[in-house]
Amino acid sequence: MAISSIAAIREAIGVIESRIGAVRAPLGMILGSGLGGLADQIENPRSLSYSAIPHLPSSSVAGHAGKLVCGTWQGSEVVVLSGRVHCYEGHPLDRVVLPVQLLAGLGVHTVLVTNAAGAVNADYKPGDLMVLSDHINMQAKSPLIGKNDARLGPRFPDMTEAYAKELRELTLRLAAERGLRVHEGIYAAVLGPSYETPAEVRMLQILGADAVGMSTVPEVIAARHMGMRVLGLSCLTNMAAGLSGGTLHHDEVKEVAGAATEGMIGLIAATVRAMPTCEVRESFRAHFEAQLMA
Ligand code: HPA
């Protein structure tokens, strides 16, 4: 039988802490395409490649170099997961969400998740950013399928406010102050790896989605299962299929994501500086540690 998530988390944390020392951070980030540069800004970094961490699946996608980096950024202790794995790479979903479960095990209370996405809302433009207000899971899968481990969270986690309202409001306010084009909208997660057809994009519009991508939702479900506070940010790299007249290419996605990096990192930095997290971290870490040891 496959090793349980709790056992995998415990083993992975043991290896991380034996290699880079104790990690204690209130804030975690899972960075998608093009945001690897943020990890390079971390002060006093201690990092470990995903390949050195047991049970962590390694990403096979260009632009998703996999490493865990912890240190100080914008005055806050952070753990950054630079690069993520996707369901379409063929990894079981319980392994796709292991990184976010690791963050919780390391004491992270608030997790920021970024991604690249296609704009489904015709009023958006490539290069715009979107704060996720909610999501629609079109992957027809959940990382929580199977026996529930109550040490991680409840069988039926609430998803009413998957993305924390106070963090969304904070990010939108800071974006407006910086003059950035940022929307608040609904992210639809599809399996991929093929991009959507124009008919699928019209369906997503009818369903109320504003953006579409192939990631994030499994991690957010797992994060909410564990009671973590989530902020989600998309970089809209292209108009979704059928909305621009052209065809879609991963190179274009990477190029637009790269061009938007500076604005996105600036916004994340301002948000982190203004984010009220610190008072909760010790209690959350202690709570999670007790569960892991149970
Ligand atoms: N569709 C799905 N995922 C994506 C897209 C898209 O148009 N752009 C970037 N990631």
Side-chain angles (χ1 to χ4, degrees):
M1 204 184 89
I3 182 170
S4 72
S5 291
I6 281 279
I9 296 166
R10 192 183 289 154
E11 220 175 291
I13 289 178
V15 170
I16 293 167
E17 295 203 323
S18 74
R19 292 283 295 270
I20 63 171
V23 180
R24 228 156 235 263
L27 180 63
M29 299 190 212
I30 301 180
L31 304 179
S33 309
L35 272 194
L38 191 159
D40 298 332
Q41 298 182 359
I42 291 175
E43 295 155 38
N44 305 317
R46 291 178 285 148
S47 71
L48 198 58
S49 149
Y50 285 176
S51 58
I53 304 173
H55 311 296
L56 218 57
S58 57
S59 176
S60 57
V61 187
H64 284 85
K67 62 176 176 178
L68 176 149
V69 188
C70 64
T72 310
W73 192 62
Q74 307 301 326
S76 185
E77 288 304 306
V78 294
V79 190
V80 171
L81 297 170
S82 177
R84 63 147 62 83
V85 289
H86 306 79
C87 203
Y88 62 73
E89 293 173 75
H91 302 293
L93 266 191
D94 60 341
R95 289 299 178 259
V96 168
V97 301
L98 191 64
V100 74
Q101 292 174 327
L102 266 184
L103 291 182
L106 292 170
V108 166
H109 168 270
T110 298
V111 64
L112 171 87
V113 207
T114 76
N115 59 51
V120 168
N121 185 321
D123 294 333
Y124 294 0
K125 289 201 194 89
D128 290 356
L129 304 180
M130 185 182 92
V131 173
L132 276 65
S133 60
D134 205 342
H135 69 227
I136 301 173
N137 185 5
M138 301 290 287
Q139 296 191 329
K141 281 185 173 196
S142 166
L144 306 182
I145 283 173
K147 194 169 178 304
N148 184 57
D149 193 327
R151 290 171 296 178
L152 290 174
R155 172 75 290 187
F156 301 110
D158 176 59
M159 293 293 286
T160 310
E161 197 186 300
Y163 303 87
K165 192 157 189 286
E166 76 270 19
L167 297 184
R168 277 152 44 199
E169 286 173 355
L170 176 65
T171 310
L172 289 165
R173 178 169 60 75
L174 294 167
E177 283 172 19
R178 303 171 81 82
L180 292 170
R181 272 184 64 93
V182 180
H183 312 280
E184 190 181 30
I186 297 171
Y187 175 91
V190 295
L191 263 181
S194 55
Y195 290 113
E196 303 67 49
T197 63
E200 287 166 343
V201 171
R202 287 193 297 276
M203 173 192 74
L204 293 172
Q205 287 176 323
I206 291 166
L207 293 180
D210 296 295
V212 59
M214 304 171 193
S215 68
T216 302
V217 163
E219 291 112 308
V220 172
I221 292 173
R224 295 301 299 146
H225 182 229
M226 297 179 294
M228 295 168 102
R229 189 168 67 151
V230 177
L231 175 64
L233 202 55
S234 293
C235 172
L236 302 163
T237 50
N238 55 281
M239 297 311 290
L243 296 182
S244 72
T247 54
L248 300 182
H249 304 280
H250 184 55
D251 285 346
E252 174 199 345
V253 167
K254 282 193 292 182
E255 200 180 304
V256 178
T261 299
E262 208 183 306
M264 197 153 167
I265 292 181
L267 178 59
I268 297 170
T271 306
V272 168
R273 282 196 300 273
M275 202 183 262
T277 46
C278 291
E279 72 277 17
V280 282
R281 72 173 172 184
E282 290 302 335
S283 62
F284 196 78
R285 163 102 186 192
H287 168 74
F288 203 87
E289 257 170 13
Q291 287 171 315
L292 280 175
M293 296 312 148

